[in-house]
Amino acid sequence: MFLLIFCRLHTRYHELAPNLVPMDYTNDPDCKVPIQLIINMPELMENPFKERIVESFSEAGDGNLSFNDFVDMFSVLSEMAPRELKAIYAFKIYDFNTDNFICKSDLEQTLNKLTREELTPEEVNLVCEKVIEEADLDGDGKLAFADFENMISRAPDFLR
Amino acid sequence: MSDHFPFRALDFSPHDENIVHDSFNELIEEQSNNQDGSEVFEMEDMAGRGRENPAFLASPQHSRSNREYFSPITLRVLSAMPSRTIGRNRGAIISQYYNRTMKLRHQRSRPSIWALSRSAPPSISGYRVETDVEAAREEENLFHNLQNLSVSDRGRMLKTMPLSLQEKKNLRHARNSKGFPHSRNQIPCCSQLKYYLIIGFRHSWYSLLSFLYSLQLWHVAMKKVSGRFGTGVLSYFVFLKTLLLFNVFLLLVNVFFLAVPQAAHPPSNQTHRASFKGLELLTGAGYFTDTVMYYGYYTNSTVNGCGPALNGSGCAMGQNSLDTNPRMPYNIPLAYFFTIGVSFFITCIILVYRKEDPFELLSELARASRQQTLLQRLAKMTVHLLAWVMSLGSTVGCAMGVYLFSTYMHKDLTMRVSHNESLIHMEASLLALPVVVSTVNLLMSGLFNAVAWMEQYDAPSTQAYVAICRNLLLKISVLGVLCYHWLGTTIIGHVTLSKQVRQNGSTGGLECWETFVGQELYRFLLMDFIFTVLDTILGEFVWRLFSQKVLKRKRKPVFDIARNVLELIYGQTLAWLGVLFSPLLPAVQIIKLVILFYIKRTSLMMNCQAPSKPWRASQMTTIFITLLCFPSFLGVAVAVTYTIWTIKPSEGCGPFRTLNTMFESGKIWVRQLEEMNSNFSWFTWIHKYLVENPFFLFAAAGVLLILIYFHTQVVGGQRKIISLLQEQIDNEGEDKKFLITRLQDIYEKERPVSVRFKQRERRDDSRKVDGLIGIKI
């Protein structure tokens, strides 16, 4: 059954770039599908965070995924992945400047992506301040992973 | 350089987050100001339950309290603090060691999730030499830690580790090779077989689990919808599935306890049943009238008992001894009463159980309004007032219109019966009222949309709530008027109607007002379905074509979640109203919901796009379930209770035909129990003094209210406690900061001065190196 899923995943991966992706992995080829092709997959296309998701799973952080990274991404996104793992990766995705904190600018970018830039800057500012006020437990003005995890464990919308 | 590398494998300690955060902030400022690199050591995160954070051991001269640097002793003390050693997530520790090991040793480009490869080693070559030795030791520690755990713990921990699948596989293989003897041949054959069995069993167990996952109804379809359109649109489909399950439950209960016993023993005096023509599917009358589908078919006696008498004690003496059929008397009226009652009760409990606290929602509605001039605010208020007046006025007008039309239709029916028209014409004319009501619903929701378009709202969610409110008021008033018509006018008028029908000799269920009401509700349900489908096709498909081809808009229309959910609630209210009069009506609702699911999903995929405004899915789901519970189910419960308690059942048909009210059947049963067995007298005593006594009901209602009050107080108290604890956590953080700085100050004072000076020199050198390399943060 796992083999079946694995083969199906590879078929999808191959479909993204048939000229690039080999069918034969005995020589352990090092091929990566560029980010532009991956974010156009129908599963990811409507997601406002598609670039961040793909970047988080790529080795170099540039969004080009090898097949292993591709499998990693879908294994974490699947519903059988444990919630803690999803929380770790969610934190990484929302951390736009990859400094291991979700600071106010990260939150602003997240909000703009979610609302497709339909809020005014004052509203965005207000929301980000409120979020940090509520979730920041140690008072440094940023969300660390523990703050983030504490906040999302209280939100039933998340991690479904 | 070893003192700049203060962390050993297990002595590793993250720096205190408060201090470091401050110093890090200043670092960044400094960095952006003068492009000067500082020594920044990476420290990996403990993605655990404690309050450890990814931290940077920063060069201390930027820290607020002017410390020079943090000595190993301080760090060791910090690492031994209880909050850092208790309750750490071991998986995260191991993951972080492994990541660092892999990164240092293999120099592969995949960085660990928490590491930032922006560290500035004081001396590059020195760093690598040291860390190779370190890395090997760390890997030993990693495997050692993994081995210490049991098999299932290991598996579970590996699952939660944020490593790539490749690394997890390597870990598992390495683990296995450590755990098992080196060559396969050395394993005795029995344990090898056991090993294979366990592996095989685990594989098949996981396969079964994932198969069961996919078996959930519409699982794949809903995943696709949620992926492309978001959780808001998904909440509509989840709500649909919930309603479907409610109806399946109702149907199963009714089928097993009512329809099957009655169908197995058809009434002896069965009148000639009309032949099946196609119109039955629309009107619910004709062929369907004299079937288990409607109230009128059910007998008022005990079937499969000894005789037709109500008390079942009419067994003739000298029964045929060859009769081997075991007699299981089944009291149909009682079964009818209790089945409907109990299924409503269980539905109520499930609804209340699924409902969450609605009080939180009210706090969301308060919002800071923007500053506006008095004139602007006045203008907005007048516009709002005008819109509300229009909506309420049109609602009242529609309700009056529906009432007048229904009265007119009833008169029309009476006239047709007296003119002895054919049954088909009569039944076709009965379709007029449902069509009119559905049209009214459709047009009015369009009107409300237009009215809302001219208004301006502070928040988009307020607009959604107001739209829901107006549509809800309309539907409630229309349904209320219809209920009054059915339970009032129709019954009164039916006495004369049934006399006329009997005179003219035609049947068709018109002598039985309950069957008539059941048929009406069937027609309403069906018309609602047809109009919803038409609305989907016209509203979404044609509108999309129109807006893309004619108006040349780029974006497709958005799926209107609120309106669709209200449609579902309206349909479900009709179905619940009809259960008393037509026990198999949930079957119609089930078919309708299933078809609606596929139609809506297809229309969604073809015609709509993801909503641009983010939708609070869980909040909206709560609102929908609350709406389902309160106006919808409560209204139905009130109507049904009123029917059972006060209305006289019709004389000629149904299981309650000889009684004054439907409720009497329960009373009679209790009396019978008392007669048969005097031990049950306490039961009748309870019934007489509690259920029928209004004082007891008032007392019960009072107790319920008190319970609700206590519950709200408890919730409020818990909220207060949460804010107090929050304050405490803040204070503790401040305390920690204070203590650590004091500790560091004490250590500083005791350090010899020369060491301090040497370190400052070394730091200046290394900073020059860093500047050359060009560290960026």
Side-chain angles (χ1 to χ4, degrees):
Chain A
M1 177 107 184
F2 292 128
L3 207 56
L4 189 69
I5 295 173
F6 210 70
C7 288
R8 283 195 353 220
L9 263 179
H10 190 260
T11 316
R12 294 299 305 276
Y13 187 67
H14 182 79
E15 275 168 15
L16 290 175
N19 302 326
L20 202 60
V21 174
M23 291 302 266
D24 178 13
Y25 274 80
T26 46
N27 302 328
D28 201 11
D30 182 29
C31 77
K32 295 195 189 194
V33 173
I35 183 171
Q36 284 307 317
L37 296 174
I38 299 175
I39 59 179
N40 285 328
M41 285 177 76
E43 288 84 355
L44 288 176
M45 205 162 59
E46 295 287 341
N47 194 320
F49 296 100
K50 51 190 183 230
E51 296 95 357
R52 276 302 301 158
I53 292 175
V54 177
E55 279 165 19
S56 316
F57 287 96
S58 64
E59 278 188 21
D62 59 357
N64 301 328
L65 298 183
S66 68
F67 183 57
N68 280 336
D69 300 331
F70 190 75
V71 171
D72 280 345
M73 178 168 78
F74 281 109
S75 84
V76 172
L77 290 177
S78 92
E79 42 183 34
M80 313 245 301
R83 194 187 142 110
E84 296 87 11
L85 197 60
K86 285 188 190 271
I88 293 173
Y89 277 96
F91 185 77
K92 203 178 173 222
I93 287 168
Y94 293 135
D95 183 13
F96 281 79
N97 51 6
T98 53
D99 63 348
N100 285 342
F101 293 103
I102 296 181
C103 58
K104 195 163 160 202
S105 68
D106 292 333
L107 277 177
E108 283 173 2
Q109 278 180 285
T110 307
L111 199 58
N112 280 326
K113 276 199 190 279
L114 267 179
T115 58
R116 294 173 214 253
E117 316 218 357
E118 281 185 9
L119 296 179
T120 66
E122 300 90 42
E123 287 171 336
V124 170
N125 195 37
L126 183 67
V127 170
C128 294
E129 277 177 13
K130 275 255 152 236
V131 168
I132 292 185
E133 202 182 295
E134 271 205 35
D136 188 19
L137 288 179
D138 45 27
D140 59 351
K142 302 184 274 225
L143 300 184
F145 179 70
D147 303 328
F148 178 73
E149 208 192 1
N150 184 40
M151 181 174 71
I152 61 176
S153 62
R154 288 185 285 155
D157 271 341
F158 206 83
L159 293 182
R160 197 157 6 151
Chain B
M1 288 300 152
S2 59
D3 48 5
H4 278 288
F5 216 98
F7 32 88
R8 308 281 181 276
L10 283 167
D11 267 1
F12 167 87
S13 70
H15 211 259
D16 182 66
E17 51 261 25
N18 296 321
I19 303 171
V20 169
H21 296 175
D22 294 330
S23 34
F24 182 52
N25 268 335
E26 301 196 31
L27 255 176
I28 289 190
E29 278 172 34
E30 233 225 343
Q31 182 67 26
S32 49
N33 284 340
N34 50 12
Q35 287 293 315
D36 206 2
S38 313
E39 282 169 322
V40 173
F41 288 85
E42 64 165 85
M43 228 182 265
E44 292 168 300
D45 181 35
M46 315 271 221
R49 306 282 173 246
R51 298 201 30 232
E52 291 76 43
N53 289 307
F56 289 96
L57 181 58
S59 187
Q61 75 256 33
H62 310 289
S63 62
R64 218 166 39 181
S65 50
N66 276 332
R67 289 178 303 278
E68 290 293 292
Y69 93 122
F70 293 97
S71 68
I73 299 177
T74 318
L75 294 168
R76 216 158 284 164
V77 168
L78 285 176
S79 73
M81 279 203 298
S83 65
R84 300 220 165 141
T85 48
I86 297 173
R88 272 167 159 180
N89 187 349
R90 296 169 78 177
I93 301 174
I94 292 168
S95 139
Q96 130 211 344
Y97 290 149
Y98 188 73
N99 281 332
R100 210 156 25 115
T101 311
M102 295 299 282
K103 196 177 63 82
L104 295 174
R105 219 223 237 145
H106 301 278
Q107 294 299 317
R108 256 193 291 155
S109 53
R110 184 188 171 91
S112 79
I113 305 200
W114 307 108
L116 284 184
S117 43
R118 296 174 190 114
S119 55
S123 122
I124 298 176
S125 50
Y127 188 90
R128 288 236 179 101
V129 159
E130 264 185 14
T131 55
D132 266 343
V133 173
E134 293 264 339
R137 223 166 4 117
E138 280 174 8
E139 209 169 310
E140 282 295 313
N141 283 323
L142 171 68
F143 294 137
H144 183 68
N145 274 322
L146 273 181
Q147 269 187 305
N148 281 342
L149 306 167
S150 71
V151 176
S152 53
D153 276 349
R154 244 180 274 167
R156 227 178 299 134
M157 196 191 319
L158 272 178
K159 243 189 154 187
T160 59
M161 277 204 244
L163 302 170
S164 72
L165 289 181
Q166 188 70 30
E167 286 157 9
K168 285 187 197 176
K169 199 170 67 168
N170 292 342
L171 263 180
R172 274 204 200 94
H173 284 309
R175 168 178 38 112
N176 282 340
S177 67
K178 286 250 172 195
F180 280 94
H182 289 289
S183 77
R184 254 323 144 76
N185 303 328
Q186 289 181 6
I187 308 171
C189 61
C190 316
S191 58
Q192 192 174 25
L193 185 65
K194 199 170 70 172
Y195 172 64
Y196 281 131
L197 270 177
I198 292 174
I199 298 280
F201 176 67
R202 198 170 294 166
H203 271 250
S204 48
W205 174 246
Y206 286 141
S207 315
L208 183 69
L209 275 184
S210 43
F211 176 64
L212 283 178
Y213 241 120
S214 59
L215 264 190
Q216 282 174 33
L217 186 63
W218 296 325
H219 183 246
V220 173
M222 300 214 310
K223 267 273 166 242
K224 280 200 187 138
V225 164
S226 79
R228 276 188 59 187
F229 296 95
T231 46
V233 175
L234 180 72
S235 68
Y236 167 78
F237 288 95
V238 167
F239 191 68
L240 205 155
K241 195 167 119 172
T242 316
L243 285 181
L244 185 75
L245 295 176
F246 271 126
N247 283 303
V248 164
F249 161 71
L250 262 182
L251 182 71
L252 285 177
V253 161
N254 284 346
V255 161
F256 284 130
F257 291 107
L258 286 183
V260 165
Q262 183 62 69
H265 302 90
S268 44
N269 56 340
Q270 190 170 4
T271 52
H272 169 68
R273 198 184 281 174
S275 58
F276 185 82
K277 304 178 185 67
L279 199 62
E280 272 82 19
L281 291 175
L282 269 185
T283 60
Y287 179 74
F288 286 144
T289 315
D290 282 318
T291 54
V292 279
M293 193 156 162
Y294 292 109
Y295 173 98
Y297 187 74
Y298 292 84
T299 58
N300 68 332
S301 59
T302 311
V303 292
N304 209 14
C306 289
L310 194 60
N311 52 8
S313 60
C315 273
M317 304 301 271
Q319 228 174 354
N320 194 348
S321 55
L322 290 177
D323 189 357
T324 51
N325 224 356
R327 297 252 163 196
M328 275 195 308
Y330 193 82
N331 192 341
I332 295 266
L334 202 64
Y336 201 97
F337 177 66
F338 276 118
T339 308
I340 306 287
V342 167
S343 54
F344 266 89
F345 187 65
I346 295 180
T347 311
C348 179
I349 290 179
I350 296 176
L351 271 178
V352 172
Y353 186 70
R354 287 178 72 110
K355 208 162 62 69
E356 281 129 30
D357 185 5
F359 298 114
E360 282 181 17
L361 302 174
L362 298 173
S363 62
E364 305 272 345
L365 290 176
R367 224 182 94 102
S369 59
R370 278 186 229 126
Q371 293 300 322
Q372 283 174 331
T373 65
L374 191 64
L375 197 63
Q376 273 184 331
R377 289 229 298 268
L378 213 61
K380 261 178 63 171
M381 288 292 288
T382 29
V383 170
H384 279 308
L385 203 63
L386 188 66
W388 271 104
V389 161
M390 275 174 68
S391 324
L392 288 176
S394 48
T395 305
V396 166
C398 285
M400 292 295 297
V402 165
Y403 176 66
L404 291 170
F405 189 72
S406 59
T407 325
Y408 165 75
M409 284 311 296
H410 193 78
K411 283 203 195 90
D412 181 71
L413 179 70
T414 321
M415 198 183 61
R416 280 177 203 259
V417 165
S418 62
H419 289 169
N420 213 359
E421 266 189 44
S422 72
L423 231 61
I424 296 190
H425 283 150
M426 271 197 291
E427 284 161 9
S429 74
L430 289 170
L431 281 174
L433 185 62
V435 167
V436 162
V437 169
S438 296
T439 320
V440 158
N441 276 332
L442 205 61
L443 291 177
M444 290 301 290
S445 64
L447 179 75
F448 292 146
N449 271 346
V451 162
W453 178 68
M454 75 178 190
E455 286 177 295
Q456 236 190 9
Y457 287 101
D458 277 337
S461 56
T462 324
Q463 192 175 22
Y465 290 143
V466 164
I468 290 177
C469 215
R470 287 186 184 146
N471 277 303
L472 195 65
L473 276 174
L474 173 74
K475 293 195 157 71
I476 289 177
S477 44
V478 165
L479 273 179
V481 160
L482 285 171
C483 277
Y484 176 72
H485 169 71
W486 286 323
L487 300 177
T489 327
T490 313
I491 298 174
I492 298 169
H494 230 90
V495 176
T496 41
L497 195 69
S498 57
K499 280 203 194 103
Q500 269 186 321
V501 162
R502 255 180 269 132
Q503 272 171 6
N504 295 342
S506 61
T507 54
L510 287 173
E511 61 236 8
C512 208
W513 68 264
E514 293 97 345
T515 308
F516 180 70
V517 173
Q519 285 169 351
E520 282 272 274
L521 280 161
Y522 173 92
R523 286 188 281 264
F524 267 83
L525 211 57
L526 205 63
M527 276 301 141
D528 182 55
F529 172 59
I530 290 174
F531 269 75
T532 311
V533 169
L534 277 178
D535 179 42
T536 310
I537 295 176
L538 289 175
E540 291 173 12
F541 181 61
V542 171
W543 178 248
R544 191 229 346 158
L545 287 178
F546 183 68
S547 73
Q548 280 192 330
K549 302 268 159 55
V550 176
L551 296 177
K552 300 270 187 238
R553 275 194 215 154
K554 284 240 166 82
R555 305 185 87 172
K556 294 187 196 170
V558 171
F559 187 76
D560 193 346
I561 301 173
R563 215 182 69 156
N564 282 298
V565 169
L566 275 181
E567 295 278 340
L568 282 182
I569 293 180
Y570 175 72
Q572 188 59 41
T573 315
L574 288 175
W576 275 334
L577 268 177
V579 164
L580 179 63
F581 306 109
S582 164
L584 293 188
L585 201 63
V588 177
Q589 177 75 345
I590 288 173
I591 297 172
K592 176 184 152 191
L593 285 175
V594 168
I595 298 178
L596 204 63
F597 180 88
Y598 289 109
I599 289 179
K600 283 283 174 190
R601 193 198 54 156
T602 319
S603 159
L604 187 72
M605 296 289 187
M606 274 176 37
N607 303 330
C608 299
Q609 58 151 21
S612 54
K613 299 193 193 333
W615 181 278
R616 293 278 308 273
S618 75
Q619 191 183 49
M620 280 295 158
T621 316
T622 311
I623 292 181
F624 296 152
I625 298 262
T626 312
L627 283 179
L628 191 68
C629 191
F630 276 127
S632 168
F633 186 76
L634 203 64
V636 167
V638 162
V640 167
T641 313
Y642 174 74
T643 311
I644 292 184
W645 215 292
T646 48
I647 298 186
K648 184 168 162 45
S650 54
E651 293 280 340
C653 59
F656 304 112
R657 55 189 93 163
T658 49
L659 307 172
N660 280 331
T661 66
M662 297 188 197
F663 190 63
E664 264 187 29
S665 63
K667 285 194 218 168
I668 290 174
W669 176 65
V670 167
R671 230 173 288 147
Q672 275 178 5
L673 275 182
E674 201 188 350
E675 282 166 20
M676 283 200 286
N677 191 349
S678 59
N679 286 341
F680 277 119
S681 58
W682 58 269
F683 199 68
T684 31
W685 182 87
I686 292 177
H687 186 256
K688 198 156 75 162
Y689 286 107
L690 292 181
V691 177
E692 288 185 9
N693 195 351
F695 179 69
F696 173 74
L697 292 174
F698 279 128
V703 165
L704 263 176
L705 281 171
I706 292 176
L707 279 175
I708 292 174
Y709 173 73
F710 274 145
H711 178 72
T712 25
Q713 291 297 94
V714 163
V715 167
Q718 281 174 347
R719 283 212 190 103
K720 272 204 208 105
I721 290 180
I722 288 174
S723 60
L724 279 174
L725 285 174
Q726 188 96 3
E727 238 182 86
Q728 251 187 6
I729 291 176
D730 291 336
N731 289 337
E732 294 295 319
E734 296 286 321
D735 285 347
K736 236 196 322 192
K737 255 203 285 201
F738 173 76
L739 287 173
I740 288 171
T741 50
R742 289 302 308 270
L743 189 71
Q744 184 58 36
D745 289 340
I746 291 171
Y747 176 72
E748 278 287 301
K749 287 196 189 90
E750 292 177 6
R751 233 177 4 146
V753 183
S754 58
V755 176
R756 240 185 286 170
F757 182 67
K758 244 189 247 164
Q759 286 183 336
R760 203 177 293 141
E761 252 185 21
R762 244 185 256 142
R763 216 181 318 113
D764 288 336
D765 288 341
S766 62
R767 265 209 290 156
K768 284 198 210 115
V769 173
D770 296 340
L772 287 173
I773 296 172
I775 317 294
K776 61 175 163 53
I777 299 233

